[in-house]
Amino acid sequence: MEGDYKTQNGNSGCRISTTKGFVFVLLAALLAVSVGILVHLAGSREVTCKVDLGSLSKVGWSSPSELVTQCGKLAEQGDSHVCSACPTPPLPNTPELEPETTPEPEKKKTPINYRLPSTLKPVHYDVELKPNIYGNDTSNFQMNGSVSIDIDVLEATDNITLHSDWLNVTESSVSLVSDQPVTPTVVDVSVINTTQFLVISLDGSLVKGSRIRLKMNFTSRLRTDRFGFYSSSYLADNNETIYLAVTMFEATYARSAFPCFDEPALKATFNFTLLRKEKHARNYTTLSNTDIIDTQPRDNGYVADVHAKTPVMPTYLLAFVVSDFRYVENVTYHGDRKVKYRTWARPNLMQNVHLTHDWGVRIFNWLQNHFEPPFPLYKFDNIAVPSFRFGAMENWGLATYREDIVYRPGFTTTNCYTWTGLVIAHELAHQWFGNIVSPRWWWWLWLNEGFAMYWEWILVTELFPQRREEEQFLVKLKYKAMLQDSTRSSHPMNNDKMESHAQIETSFDEITYSKGGTLVRMMSMFMGKSLFIQALNHYLKRHQYGVADHNDLFNVLTEEAASENRPINMTDIMDNWVTQMNFPLVHVTRSRRGVIHVTQERYLGSPSEQEKAVNDSSPYDYLWEIPITYTSSTEKNFTKSIRFEDRKWLKKTNKEGDIFDSVFPDSSDEDSWVYVNTESHYFYVNYDLHNWNALIKQLNHDFTVIPPINRAQLLHDSWYIAEAGRLNHSIALRLMSYLKDDMDYVPWRALHRFLFVIDGHLKRSVLYDAFRKFMVDLSKKAFDHYGVVSTETEVTVHRFQRTRIMKYACYYGNMKCQKKVLELFQELKQSSDNSVIHPDLRSIVYCGGIQYGDSENFEFVWSKYTEKAKSPNPELKKESGYLLKALACVREPWRITRLFQSMREGKIKKDDVLTLGKELASNPYGRDLVWNALKASYEMIAMSELSNKTVSRMITGATSSFNTQDRYVEIEDFMKTHNVTAHEGVFKAVLKKTKENIEWMDRHYTVIEHWLRETGYLQPVI
């Protein structure tokens, strides 16, 4: 899966977080008198909902139990604000409370087993589904279905336990036959909500070794939350809303479409029959993992499309779509095997799919030519879905994507343009890594996502080398993963805490994706790309249609290396990387010519984290098998090829050791330096002070000696090593200065991660103006170089760099930049077509027009936002997003007050309130105003229609830069004098963050002050 981790990529525009809207607030309005919901959140996150019911028909719930279940589920998944979403007056004749008594000691809870019993294994499913997506009344969007499952009995059992969620199983339809003379009878059908188990109790035991066939019918509403089997829609050219039905099953949502054994190892084959209306104005078709092999007439104007039998596969990779979409098609060949490759989209988007389709064909052909076994299906469909929760989903033979995958000139940003190739490569790589071989359980999700991440940028680099995707992966995603992985709350890649639905969902994160991709890259570099692919093909063939864990992978890689007389024991090298969280910090010291001394320690991102970790343990005592790759000022070779046999290592059995090589210069030479980790593996490197100074001198003299990704690594490593207290911040600050001459995107992208840490801490201090002037000078040459004009023919990294430099230059006060932005804004105002400004620059221009312009500019953006926010057109909706964020760029207090009031009065779309609230709270000119408003009207705001998440984000944003003791006391006092129960956790986190900020300033303020004086930006106090 690609997306919002289900996200990848920290860039805005294509991979973005989504939030639930005001569903329970709306529900409350309809049920205000008749329904009271009490949600009790226990420590295990189990939720109980009690409902005093009147009529539920008005809100479309079919039964009291359905309302209770869904309320509880959303609360379990983190939407605890449902507790206050349905307020009702106290019920009449409420009995008085009993006197308080001393509670008995709480008994230790028995852990819940979320895994299905190992007594049964599915072999084959026959599933028929009839979704109703016709007409305009979405409350009638139901689904009827039936399922027949052939099951092998592995152990004798008197019940059949499988998964079911959101489904109303018709109990009388549940039947059982077997290949035994006597078949037990069904005596009870029940659902366990916590585990989502459907338990079918029998009057006798099933015989070990027998095969049974289980049948049942069921009904359900089509979901609307973009999980499971849900309804979506788009706007036709005549402004008619057209509906479709689509699926999103990973990780645990197939069970909400039909009862099934919904675990990755319980693979089976499937036959799907999908019903649709034949004579309909929109000419609906059905898609599934396999092609249609027959169409049969059914009653009431329906026909049944029978899809071919699937390969053996897990439930989470199943998919089906009922829509009126169109497609373009190519036929690809691998030997004598023919595969139809198709790209589908809504009819009014078809004119733009050709670039997406062509890239997909090229990537698919590359994969077919390099990997075995061959792609087992006879077609591969890609479909751009109007409303899709994540970036994409790798369903076997039917990949689903957000509509951002379709490139639209004048509308698509460069970020989305490059993401298109990456996400297609990601999902196509999954057709082998994850689909042919699946993880044994969600603990090993990285075997899917780590490989897909690796191959996505490898493939795009192969096809489009000028994009420099490997460097971008390292500087964006590897570094992002390392930040997440630098705390004690991180997790190993083999994540053995993943059992419940909620836990499984959290495993789709940077560790699984980006750390996974980085370590796959490391294995590839040890073996060499050719041998690595050869070994992976043996891994895929050995476990074809089966499951695997990390040992299965490492064993095959080791065996393949041995077959080529290569002494690579991948288990010995990699097990410590995948079974331990965090990563190493390597210290390098120089003592004499020809030798460096290296030591390793566990990296944690702050001194406070290190203090808490004293008694932590791990399988390898937080020691790693670390490849030491290097060069020096005498060699200056960052790209040399190193055979595995010639590699140097810091072993997991040693905290320190010496590395010998004649390229290491004598430390007495002040200008000489060594550079360790030339291959950019997953660890930080610290040097002795002499070596840091020599590297800084080299960068200032001729930075081109060190490649861009390695320059980026120096910037990034030095800062975060300093944050951990292992290096003086003066080194990291002095390193930054060379950037005034560096035009390359990659080092500047590394600066991004910590630049606004400095900015946030200094914003309220007397040092800020000096720092601001430093940044104006640092970005001046790059701004003059790139200017403000972007073109589609320009190299993508140049377009990325222009956008980044414009943001820095304007933000820090480069008058030339601000003037240019105002000129572009005037062009935009005078044009009826906003395409006069490149999509990459539009948000900068909108924001700058408000920040540096007059009230007329604000009113222009406000009117454009209100106009476009109302439109159901997705392009205009996205444009309204740029406009919304631009509104939050205001500097005048009265305009900030106006926006704040507009949110409360409903003049801002409910879907946009969270975004605007967060942006206003993050606006340096609005933070104090937002904080003061929150303090003055907290009770009213907490009870308003602003969602819990919106208020939480506003509290967090407004206080994020608090870094004085006075502010800490202010928050403490507020918590004591107000009922902050609804946001207690948020306020506690704010106190913790404020304390950390105070400690940061205590440690680093003097260092930064000295650096600014040393560089001449801070004048001596007279």
Side-chain angles (χ1 to χ4, degrees):
M1 184 191 305
E2 179 89 357
D4 177 40
Y5 314 64
K6 295 165 193 175
T7 280
Q8 273 306 318
N9 193 331
N11 293 332
S12 62
C14 271
R15 303 183 187 186
I16 55 175
S17 300
T18 56
T19 58
K20 290 186 179 74
F22 286 75
V23 59
F24 272 88
V25 175
L26 295 173
L27 178 61
L30 293 167
L31 300 180
V33 177
S34 60
V35 181
I37 299 179
L38 172 65
V39 181
H40 171 67
L41 297 172
S44 66
R45 302 291 297 163
E46 184 174 351
V47 179
T48 304
C49 298
K50 298 178 181 177
V51 183
D52 177 42
L53 282 163
S55 169
L56 294 176
S57 60
K58 293 180 181 179
V59 290
W61 301 98
S62 60
S63 67
S65 61
E66 187 177 0
L67 173 58
V68 171
T69 300
Q70 298 316 321
C71 176
K73 281 176 187 169
L74 285 174
E76 279 181 344
Q77 294 168 15
D79 288 333
S80 56
H81 62 282
V82 302
C83 304
S84 59
C86 301
T88 57
L91 294 174
N93 303 318
T94 302
E96 293 184 6
L97 294 175
E98 295 290 333
E100 289 188 8
T101 57
T102 304
E104 294 182 8
E106 186 176 346
K107 295 180 181 179
K108 189 174 182 180
K109 293 185 177 180
T110 304
I112 298 171
N113 183 4
Y114 289 91
R115 305 245 194 141
L116 291 172
S118 58
T119 53
L120 304 171
K121 186 179 188 306
V123 177
H124 178 75
Y125 294 74
D126 286 300
V127 182
E128 180 169 301
L129 300 174
K130 180 184 177 183
N132 174 22
I133 50 170
Y134 310 102
N136 295 314
D137 186 355
T138 58
S139 66
N140 291 328
F141 285 6
Q142 308 283 331
M143 184 262 292
N144 298 325
S146 64
V147 62
S148 171
I149 314 174
D150 293 340
I151 305 168
D152 282 345
V153 181
L154 306 182
E155 299 290 341
T157 179
D158 62 359
N159 71 79
I160 301 170
T161 301
L162 65 164
H163 288 109
S164 177
D165 183 36
W166 274 73
L167 302 173
N168 297 312
V169 175
T170 307
E171 189 169 344
S172 61
S173 73
V174 180
S175 65
L176 186 67
V177 296
S178 74
D179 58 5
Q180 297 297 302
V182 178
T183 301
T185 302
V186 175
V187 295
D188 184 57
V189 179
S190 60
V191 175
I192 303 174
N193 287 327
T194 303
T195 55
Q196 299 174 347
F197 286 172
L198 176 67
V199 182
I200 301 170
S201 300
L202 310 174
D203 66 356
S205 289
L206 298 170
V207 177
K208 179 180 179 179
S210 64
R211 177 167 290 187
I212 61 173
R213 176 168 293 169
L214 175 67
K215 293 183 178 182
M216 68 189 82
N217 300 331
F218 51 90
T219 61
S220 175
R221 290 178 305 108
L222 285 177
R223 297 176 69 144
T224 56
D225 59 357
R226 296 176 293 171
F227 283 121
F229 196 17
Y230 68 94
S231 63
S232 179
S233 65
Y234 72 92
L235 197 69
D237 289 339
N238 63 358
N239 288 327
E240 179 187 1
T241 299
I242 308 300
Y243 294 96
L244 60 147
V246 65
T247 57
M248 175 62 215
F249 287 164
E250 192 177 30
T252 59
Y253 294 100
R255 65 192 67 174
S256 70
F258 62 97
C260 58
F261 294 82
D262 199 11
E263 293 182 358
L266 296 178
K267 294 186 168 187
T269 55
F270 297 81
N271 277 112
F272 277 101
T273 300
L274 301 175
L275 274 65
R276 59 180 170 85
K277 280 193 173 180
E278 182 179 30
K279 295 180 180 179
H280 189 275
R282 300 306 302 186
N283 191 24
Y284 278 88
T285 60
T286 69
L287 294 174
S288 188
N289 304 85
T290 54
D291 259 335
I292 297 171
I293 56 174
D294 189 22
T295 298
Q296 303 166 352
R298 294 292 175 89
D299 294 338
N300 301 318
Y302 279 85
V303 294
D305 290 333
V306 181
H307 291 257
K309 186 176 181 179
T310 71
V312 176
M313 62 186 293
T315 48
Y316 78 88
L317 291 173
L318 297 167
F320 23 92
V321 179
V322 182
S323 74
D324 70 335
F325 284 18
R326 305 291 180 262
Y327 67 89
V328 292
E329 177 182 312
N330 275 64
V331 176
T332 69
Y333 295 89
H334 181 63
D336 58 356
R337 187 175 181 81
K338 182 171 71 172
V339 178
K340 292 184 296 185
Y341 187 96
R342 300 183 294 199
T343 302
W344 297 73
R346 52 185 164 89
N348 54 4
L349 197 59
M350 279 303 298
Q351 70 272 18
N352 293 315
V353 303
H354 295 284
L355 181 139
T356 300
H357 180 75
D358 292 344
W359 285 0
V361 170
R362 292 175 65 183
I363 292 167
F364 187 63
N365 283 333
W366 192 98
L367 286 161
Q368 287 199 103
N369 290 332
H370 285 80
F371 287 114
E372 299 174 356
F375 182 71
L377 302 173
Y378 291 96
K379 65 93 178 177
F380 186 84
D381 288 316
N382 305 271
I383 185 165
V385 179
S387 179
F388 197 70
R389 179 170 290 272
F390 304 110
M393 180 61 209
E394 66 269 17
N395 315 299
W396 215 352
L398 175 54
T400 42
Y401 302 84
R402 284 212 304 258
E403 281 194 340
D404 291 310
I405 196 176
V406 178
Y407 173 72
R408 284 160 276 186
F411 176 76
T412 300
T413 64
T414 300
N415 185 51
C416 283
Y417 172 79
T418 57
W419 175 80
T420 296
L422 292 168
V423 73
I424 292 170
H426 187 102
E427 307 315 320
L428 286 171
H430 270 311
Q431 304 305 305
W432 283 263
F433 297 95
N435 296 13
I436 284 180
V437 180
S438 306
R440 197 173 301 279
W441 179 253
W442 300 108
W443 293 2
W444 295 281
L445 180 61
W446 72 268
L447 291 175
N448 288 13
E449 302 301 346
F451 273 97
M453 282 298 294
Y454 172 73
W455 287 114
E456 76 171 52
W457 58 259
I458 283 288
L459 284 165
V460 175
T461 298
E462 288 273 348
L463 300 176
F464 310 104
Q466 73 279 9
R467 293 192 188 177
R468 299 166 60 189
E469 287 295 346
E470 180 176 6
E471 293 171 87
Q472 292 198 60
F473 169 78
L474 293 170
V475 79
K476 293 176 183 175
L477 301 181
K478 187 191 83 166
Y479 291 167
K480 188 176 181 182
M482 294 177 91
L483 291 183
Q484 182 176 320
D485 201 21
S486 62
T487 68
R488 296 174 67 245
S489 60
S490 185
H491 64 81
M493 278 168 49
N494 286 356
N495 195 353
D496 60 4
K497 306 300 183 192
M498 298 299 104
E499 294 294 335
S500 72
H501 168 84
Q503 290 169 338
I504 292 167
E505 289 294 297
T506 64
S507 66
F508 291 82
D509 64 1
E510 297 291 349
I511 307 300
T512 299
Y513 283 72
S514 300
K515 182 177 183 178
T518 304
L519 296 190
V520 171
R521 173 182 179 269
M522 191 157 73
M523 289 187 279
S524 176
M525 295 184 86
F526 295 160
M527 297 187 74
K529 185 176 171 184
S530 177
L531 179 59
F532 188 54
I533 290 176
Q534 182 178 313
L536 290 179
N537 283 333
H538 282 189
Y539 162 76
L540 292 169
K541 285 186 283 189
R542 178 177 297 182
H543 299 286
Q544 182 176 5
Y545 303 125
V547 294
D549 59 30
H550 68 293
N551 290 315
D552 297 313
L553 172 68
F554 295 162
N555 288 341
V556 174
L557 298 181
T558 301
E559 291 169 16
E560 193 65 24
S563 72
E564 299 289 333
N565 297 314
R566 305 286 301 281
I568 305 174
N569 185 328
M570 203 59 80
T571 301
D572 185 56
I573 298 168
M574 296 302 301
D575 192 72
N576 54 97
W577 288 96
V578 303
T579 59
Q580 298 185 120
M581 66 179 177
N582 308 131
F583 55 91
L585 167 61
V586 174
H587 298 273
V588 178
T589 54
R590 298 165 57 195
S591 56
R592 64 185 188 275
R593 183 182 298 278
V595 61
I596 58 173
H597 188 73
V598 292
T599 62
Q600 65 165 301
E601 66 169 310
R602 175 192 186 187
Y603 178 84
L604 290 170
S606 69
S608 61
E609 282 281 280
Q610 294 156 19
E611 290 170 10
K612 298 171 188 173
V614 173
N615 296 317
D616 287 359
S617 61
S618 77
Y620 293 91
D621 294 325
Y622 289 110
L623 294 173
W624 287 266
E625 196 83 359
I626 306 172
I628 304 297
T629 57
Y630 50 81
T631 190
S632 69
S633 54
T634 58
E635 184 188 43
K636 299 176 183 174
N637 186 349
F638 286 80
T639 58
K640 58 188 172 187
S641 178
I642 309 169
R643 293 194 325 143
F644 180 83
E645 294 82 352
D646 299 327
R647 287 180 176 272
K648 307 293 177 66
W649 299 86
L650 179 53
K651 308 292 287 183
K652 60 182 177 292
T653 53
N654 300 317
K655 285 189 176 181
E656 58 185 304
D658 289 330
I659 305 292
F660 298 92
D661 197 306
S662 60
V663 303
F664 300 138
D666 196 310
S667 59
S668 62
D669 181 353
E670 289 187 2
D671 293 339
S672 68
W673 46 264
V674 298
Y675 188 108
V676 170
N677 198 17
T678 53
E679 291 181 338
S680 298
H681 294 307
Y682 196 77
F683 58 91
Y684 290 155
V685 181
N686 191 16
Y687 302 99
D688 58 55
L689 186 58
H690 165 245
N691 201 72
W692 276 119
N693 285 329
L695 285 166
I696 292 171
K697 191 173 183 179
Q698 177 66 68
L699 289 172
N700 287 326
H701 173 66
D702 182 5
F703 61 82
T704 62
V705 166
I706 302 174
I709 190 59
N710 301 104
R711 302 198 296 269
Q713 192 165 285
L714 288 173
L715 290 162
H716 187 269
D717 285 15
S718 64
W719 180 262
Y720 288 102
I721 295 168
E723 288 287 271
R726 295 296 193 259
L727 179 67
N728 191 296
H729 270 82
S730 63
I731 295 294
L733 293 166
R734 288 169 55 212
L735 269 165
M736 289 168 54
S737 297
Y738 99 91
L739 283 169
K740 68 182 185 297
D741 296 315
D742 194 345
M743 304 297 106
D744 196 277
Y745 167 74
V746 170
W748 278 93
R749 187 61 176 77
L751 175 71
H752 164 77
R753 293 221 175 272
F754 59 86
L755 175 59
F756 288 106
V757 174
I758 307 173
D759 186 271
H761 283 301
L762 297 186
K763 194 77 179 181
R764 300 169 187 264
S765 79
V766 297
L767 301 183
Y768 189 73
D769 191 54
F771 178 70
R772 183 193 65 76
K773 291 174 182 175
F774 167 79
M775 285 304 303
V776 169
D777 286 350
L778 194 72
S779 57
K780 181 180 184 302
K781 190 172 182 179
F783 174 76
D784 291 341
H785 175 79
Y786 285 100
V788 297
V789 179
S790 284
T791 64
E792 295 299 316
T793 58
E794 196 175 20
V795 176
T796 54
V797 288
H798 290 174
R799 285 186 258 164
F800 284 143
Q801 179 68 337
R802 173 178 296 102
T803 304
R804 184 161 303 282
I805 292 297
M806 279 184 69
K807 286 179 179 177
Y808 293 160
C810 286
Y811 176 81
Y812 285 108
N814 182 317
M815 300 301 291
K816 184 177 178 182
C817 178
Q818 294 177 0
K819 181 181 177 183
K820 288 285 187 183
V821 164
L822 279 176
E823 290 172 359
L824 291 173
F825 189 87
Q826 291 305 313
E827 285 184 38
L828 200 59
K829 282 173 64 177
Q830 294 164 12
S831 172
S832 59
D833 181 5
N834 62 14
S835 65
V836 297
I837 307 299
H838 192 278
D840 290 352
L841 308 181
R842 219 164 280 161
S843 61
I844 301 174
V845 172
Y846 282 140
C847 180
I850 285 180
Q851 281 191 333
Y852 320 127
D854 52 23
S855 59
E856 185 181 322
N857 288 2
F858 179 88
E859 296 303 331
F860 172 80
V861 174
W862 173 259
S863 65
K864 286 291 184 183
Y865 165 75
T866 54
E867 171 194 335
K868 295 185 179 184
K870 296 173 184 176
S871 173
N873 184 295
E875 284 84 357
L876 295 181
K877 277 186 177 179
K878 183 159 285 191
E879 187 71 17
S880 76
Y882 294 139
L883 293 160
L884 178 76
K885 290 186 176 182
L887 289 171
C889 294
V890 293
R891 294 180 171 183
E892 298 84 1
W894 59 90
R895 290 207 176 97
I896 295 171
T897 302
R898 173 180 165 183
L899 290 172
F900 199 64
Q901 187 68 24
S902 295
M903 285 194 292
R904 291 174 53 188
E905 293 174 352
K907 294 179 181 178
I908 303 293
K909 274 196 337 173
K910 287 180 177 178
D911 290 346
D912 290 343
V913 165
L914 174 58
T915 300
L916 183 58
K918 183 181 70 172
E919 295 291 330
L920 279 175
S922 301
N923 180 344
Y925 299 92
R927 285 173 184 160
D928 287 341
L929 191 66
V930 171
W931 172 237
N932 290 335
L934 284 166
K935 286 192 301 178
S937 309
Y938 173 72
E939 283 80 4
M940 182 174 65
I941 293 170
M943 293 298 292
S944 73
E945 284 200 352
L946 294 178
S947 73
N948 194 319
K949 187 175 285 188
T950 300
V951 178
S952 297
R953 291 280 182 91
M954 291 169 72
I955 294 168
T956 303
T959 59
S960 62
S961 61
F962 284 6
N963 56 14
T964 65
Q965 190 62 34
D966 288 345
R967 287 295 200 182
Y968 187 90
V969 172
E970 182 182 346
I971 299 165
E972 271 191 324
D973 290 345
F974 182 81
M975 293 177 68
K976 291 173 184 175
T977 57
H978 293 74
N979 179 8
V980 298
T981 304
H983 304 98
E984 185 174 8
V986 177
F987 278 106
K988 285 181 177 179
V990 165
L991 276 179
K992 181 175 181 288
K993 177 64 175 173
T994 302
K995 183 180 179 183
E996 291 172 354
N997 290 348
I998 293 169
E999 292 170 352
W1000 194 94
M1001 292 293 281
D1002 289 344
R1003 289 197 308 268
H1004 308 309
Y1005 185 89
T1006 302
V1007 174
I1008 297 172
E1009 181 180 28
H1010 178 75
W1011 166 68
L1012 287 169
R1013 290 194 192 283
E1014 189 179 62
T1015 54
Y1017 288 95
L1018 185 65
Q1019 300 303 315
V1021 178
I1022 299 174

